[in-house]
């Protein structure tokens, strides 16, 4: 026996337990996404690889609702996309406005601060969204260079209406960036029609893949900002420009370099994460194959069924239901029910994961998602049946069968 032999037996090959992931994300991936990820690897400049990158860009134009050339993937989880967008679009000292209506608004503000922006926030109570007028008033007052606005904040389940924001940003000369990680694919999003300059997402919510790839799209105006920065870094400065050494400079998240890699010149940057590219491509392909509007409708019906189900179980829904994302609902944990123990029972006894909450909602609400592959009737009904059993076990008086029946009624009334 050599000294490098392990003392204990080596673990076996990876064998995760069967799980139905019904939390706020990550969710169970579409089986064909997992199959795509096990496809053989090719070299970085293999014609198949570059063609697949180009194909994936076109597929995501369809998902985002854009004709933006600069539509690509940033390798990394959703926040890789957020960070790439913020670091590349913000100059030190730029005023950035972040309307915060949940945890991910705080994340945008934090990342903007790290990019050395002069960050201004406005806030609404968790469970609400901003009236458009409040955002417009803040833009007029702060005069930011960039507005950073989450579309769907999973921490509160709220979906901030974005459709009128782009025109306001345009009038005030503000770049409009949105983090659509939680909402894209399950709720309407129209990058061009809504006047977005930059938008980012991840795969592990409504797109139905694993985390690890961040789709991003940039308007021509945003690309100009990125290119202007590249000029400064090359030593070409206009009056009033900061010097290159003032920028927060990342190599990995430098969108100028990433765009050159995805563009016609294919200038070497990182090695594109091949298996994640396959996954991202399959997520987008599935959405366009089923039809973008059909997928959104499937999420709407699954969300409506889950909502009807939890209400029929007597649970109190958190937040402004009229502005809820289709794909996740937050319910107050009934008095006397130990929230974490009940979630553990869902997982241990039924193999179903539902979500806890952060910040002011921690211990107060559970979050239940119906996203991507799991925006399905059987997943909704199974979750409600299990939830009823677990609630009863912990002493909550719940009407027998009511959750499943109310949800099934929604499906019977819908065409999906
Ligand atoms: C889930 C979520 C993320 C996740 O970021 P990761 O880096 O993938 O963990 C980001 N933004 C929003 C709005 C989300 O809902």
């Amino acid at each position: 026996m050599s000294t490098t032999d392990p003392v204990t037996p080596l673990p076996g090959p990876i064998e995760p337990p069967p799980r139905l992931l019904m939390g706020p994300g990550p969710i169970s991936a579409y089986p064909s996404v997992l199959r795509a990820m096990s496809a053989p690897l090719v070299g970085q400049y293999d014609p198949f690889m570059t063609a697949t990158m180009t194909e994936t860009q076109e597929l995501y134009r369809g998902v985002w609702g854009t004709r933006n050339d600069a539509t690509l993937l940033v390798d990394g989880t959703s926040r890789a996309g957020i960070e790439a967008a913020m670091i590349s679009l913000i100059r030190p000292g730029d005023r950035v406005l972040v309307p915060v209506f949940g945890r991910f608004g705080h994340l945008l503000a934090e990342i903007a601060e790290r990019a050395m922006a002069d960050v201004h926030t406005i806030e609404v109570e968790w469970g609400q969204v901003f009236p458009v007028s409040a955002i417009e008033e803040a833009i007029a007052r702060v005069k930011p260079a960039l507005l950073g606005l989450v579309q769907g904040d999973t921490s509160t389940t709220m979906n901030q209406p974005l459709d009128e924001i782009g025109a306001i940003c345009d009038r005030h000369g503000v770049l409009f960036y949105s983090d659509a990680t939680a909402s894209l694919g399950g709720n309407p999003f129209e990058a061009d029609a809504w006047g977005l300059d930059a938008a980012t997402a991840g795969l592990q919510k409504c797109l139905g893949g694993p985390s690890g790839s961040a789709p991003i799209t940039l308007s021509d105006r945003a690309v100009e900002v990125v290119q202007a920065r590249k000029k400064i870094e090359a030593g070409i400065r206009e009056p009033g420009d900061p010097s290159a050494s003032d920028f927060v400079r990342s190599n990995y998240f430098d969108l100028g370099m990433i765009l050159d890699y995805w563009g016609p010149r294919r200038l070497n940057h990182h090695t594109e994460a091949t298996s994640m590219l396959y996954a991202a491509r399959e997520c987008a392909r599935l959405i366009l194959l089923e039809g973008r509007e059909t997928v959104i409708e499937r999420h709407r019906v699954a969300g409506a069924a889950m909502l009807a189900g939890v209400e029929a179980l007597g649970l109190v829904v958190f937040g402004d239901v009229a502005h809820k994302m289709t794909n996740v609902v937050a319910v107050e944990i009934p008095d006397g029910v130990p929230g974490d123990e009940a979630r553990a029972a869902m997982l241990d006894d039924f193999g179903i994961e539902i979500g806890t909450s952060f910040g002011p909602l921690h211990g107060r609400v559970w979050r239940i998602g119906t996203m991507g592959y799991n925006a399905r009737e059987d997943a909704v009904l199974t979750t409600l049946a299990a939830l009823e059993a677990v609630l009863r076990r912990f002493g909550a008086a719940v009407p027998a069968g009511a959750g499943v029946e109310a949800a099934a009624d929604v499906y019977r009334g819908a065409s999906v």
Side-chain angles (χ1 to χ4, degrees), residues 232-413:
I232 295 169
E233 293 192 324
I236 309 161
R237 282 170 68 188
E238 309 280 335
D241 278 348
S243 86
S245 59
D246 288 338
F247 284 128
V248 174
R249 299 177 72 197
S250 167
N251 175 299
Y252 194 69
F253 293 131
D254 184 326
L255 276 179
M257 282 156 70
I258 297 173
L259 283 168
D260 281 342
Y261 177 49
W262 283 80
R265 292 195 294 162
R266 305 263 175 215
L267 291 185
N268 190 15
H269 181 239
H270 60 289
T271 310
E272 179 56 15
T274 315
S275 303
M276 285 312 302
L277 172 71
Y278 296 168
R281 175 186 182 278
E282 184 63 7
C283 290
R285 196 184 73 85
L286 286 177
I287 286 186
L288 300 183
L289 185 70
E290 186 178 344
R292 196 169 62 132
E293 307 315 314
T294 312
V295 175
I296 292 169
E297 176 64 8
R298 176 161 60 79
H299 280 84
R300 191 193 63 75
V301 173
M306 186 62 85
L307 178 66
V310 293
E311 283 180 333
L313 288 175
L315 298 174
V316 176
V317 174
F318 170 80
D320 170 9
V321 173
H323 288 103
K324 191 179 85 53
M325 281 187 278
T326 57
N327 50 297
V328 58
V329 62
V331 293
E332 294 183 12
I333 301 168
D335 278 345
V337 173
D340 287 343
E341 270 178 66
R343 274 195 324 117
M346 289 287 286
L347 191 72
D348 295 340
D349 300 343
F350 295 89
I352 299 174
E353 180 175 285
I354 63 170
T356 177
S357 293
F358 303 104
L361 299 182
H362 184 76
R364 267 187 59 201
V365 309
W366 291 316
R367 291 174 303 152
I368 306 175
T370 41
M371 311 188 195
Y373 180 51
N374 288 347
R376 289 196 323 269
E377 181 172 6
D378 62 288
V380 171
L381 300 189
T382 304
T383 303
L384 286 165
L387 188 60
E388 179 190 324
V390 166
L391 283 169
R392 190 168 292 120
R393 183 183 325 164
F394 286 101
V398 283
V404 168
E405 191 156 323
D409 278 349
V410 169
Y411 270 97
R412 273 193 291 271

Side-chain angles (χ1 to χ4, degrees), residues 24 77-80 82 104 107 150 152-154 179 181-182 204-205 211:
T77 69
S78 322
R79 78 186 61 204
I82 301 172
F104 288 101
L107 178 68
V150 173
D153 203 308
T154 24
D179 172 9
T181 302
Q204 75 268 32
K205 309 277 170 79
S211 75

